[in-house]
Amino acid sequence: MEADPPALALFGIKLGLYGSALLATGLALHASLNIVARADYSRALCTATVASAIALLFAIFRLGLANVQLGGGSALFDPATLSWTWPALGPSLTATAIGAVALTIGWWLRWKIAAGIGAVALAASFGLTGHSQALESAGLAPLAATFHVLIAAFWIVGPLTLWPARSLDDTTLAARVTRFSHLAVVTVPILFLLGLWLALLLAGGWTPLLTSLYGQLLLAKLGAASFALALGAYNKTIITTRLRATPEAGRRALKLTLGLDAVLFLIALCAIAAATSLTGPPAP
Ligand code: HEM
């Protein structure tokens, strides 16, 4: 598959956008859902606020690239071209800006509700643009994409907040792993169901899902996410107990599984970035 330079640029921008927006969303959720305790709340939200500002930059780059793709290099800031690209990307960029402002308020005022609003606004920025919006009758697809990304952010930030750093005592670590696992058991299956539904809807059925490049990239993502799910089950059933019984051994095992998780999540993000920039849903 030959990828033209703008498509490769969009791939890079999408990866940057996913990395920063999901980090900001996930950390805000972990703070507002008490996975990160009050003592670490400010640091988590400071990082989330910086990440959301970076996400806003990538959203602006994406708009700029759309202008250039439509009107050439000189159209980067051209208002006439913007009147074409803003309807498709403006609402998403606005939601990202609202998310960044809400996270800043959540950080400055140590206000969990503001952090939660920030997380939802950032996730909504994915439902307000993209393939789910381009459907003839979008219906619930944009909402499904929003919740899908919200849960994905909660999940993929796990390796960061659960990392058994020396500064984290055994009791706090075990409490974080337990609380995260309890919420993940309920939410992650919903992420898979929403993802599978969106995949069948956008690909246009099982055959195009199995035979198109777009569909195969989504299946590669499903594969990586399924391995991460298995590791999550191992963390919940084996490692949580080991952390309480033999903290040193538990920490070593946790570092291994979280490291593997991070690699699998990166593969999932690369697959979805490729599916939404280098290719797209097959024509019906
Ligand atoms: C680690 C797990 C996962 C992560 C981090 C993740 C992340 C994401 C992100 C960030 C998007 C938004 C893409 C965009 O609008 O540019 C997305 C969309 C999507 N995801 Fe996931 N996801 C995960 C698991 C899954 C699974 C298991 C499936 C099931 C096949 C799935 C199917 C989809 C589909 C169909 C879309 C819409 C793609 C489009 O707009 O063309 N995802 N995902």
Side-chain angles (χ1 to χ4, degrees):
M1 180 187 74
E2 199 63 31
D4 59 347
L8 286 172
L10 184 59
F11 177 76
I13 289 172
K14 284 248 168 160
L15 265 187
L17 183 63
Y18 296 164
S20 51
L22 269 66
L23 176 65
T25 308
L27 283 175
L29 286 173
H30 284 212
S32 42
L33 295 169
N34 300 328
I35 294 169
V36 172
R38 202 142 187 91
D40 304 311
Y41 186 73
S42 183
R43 198 160 62 121
L45 271 205
C46 172
T47 312
T49 303
V50 173
S52 67
I54 296 171
L56 190 54
L57 266 184
F58 278 110
I60 293 168
F61 292 158
R62 181 175 57 180
L63 184 64
L65 180 67
N67 275 7
V68 169
Q69 281 181 298
L70 201 62
S74 59
L76 187 59
F77 301 112
D78 172 39
T81 313
L82 200 60
S83 66
W84 287 94
T85 54
W86 184 261
L89 293 170
S92 173
L93 196 150
T94 309
T96 310
I98 292 170
V101 171
L103 287 187
T104 311
I105 294 169
W107 170 37
W108 281 350
L109 304 181
R110 300 170 74 83
W111 196 18
K112 285 186 182 173
I113 294 176
I117 291 169
V120 172
L122 287 168
S125 73
F126 289 89
L128 288 166
T129 188
H131 295 137
S132 63
Q133 280 290 346
L135 286 165
E136 218 154 283
S137 53
L140 290 175
L143 202 60
T146 299
F147 278 104
H148 178 78
V149 172
L150 195 68
I151 301 170
F154 164 81
W155 193 22
I156 75 166
V157 163
L160 209 62
T161 48
L162 304 184
W163 190 258
R166 284 264 147 257
S167 57
L168 214 52
D169 65 76
D170 295 338
T171 319
T172 311
L173 177 63
R176 278 191 187 185
V177 173
T178 307
R179 182 147 180 76
F180 176 84
S181 302
H182 281 152
L183 290 165
V185 160
V186 178
T187 55
V188 172
I190 299 173
L191 168 127
F192 275 78
L193 288 174
L194 291 171
L196 276 168
W197 180 66
L198 282 167
L200 285 169
L201 186 71
L202 292 166
W206 284 107
T207 308
L209 183 63
L210 296 168
T211 57
S212 69
L213 176 61
Y214 172 79
Q216 288 157 1
L217 284 164
L218 290 178
L219 293 176
K221 183 184 176 203
L222 175 62
S226 303
F227 274 116
L229 187 65
L231 282 172
Y234 180 74
N235 279 346
K236 183 172 180 348
T237 50
I238 309 289
I239 295 198
T240 310
T241 324
R242 201 179 287 175
L243 270 175
R244 292 190 193 285
T246 53
E248 267 321 294
R251 280 171 180 260
R252 273 197 304 278
L254 187 59
K255 278 185 182 171
L256 184 64
T257 54
L258 293 180
L260 284 173
D261 265 340
V263 172
L264 291 165
F265 290 150
L266 190 60
I267 293 170
L269 289 182
C270 288
I272 192 66
T276 57
S277 61
L278 306 180
T279 177

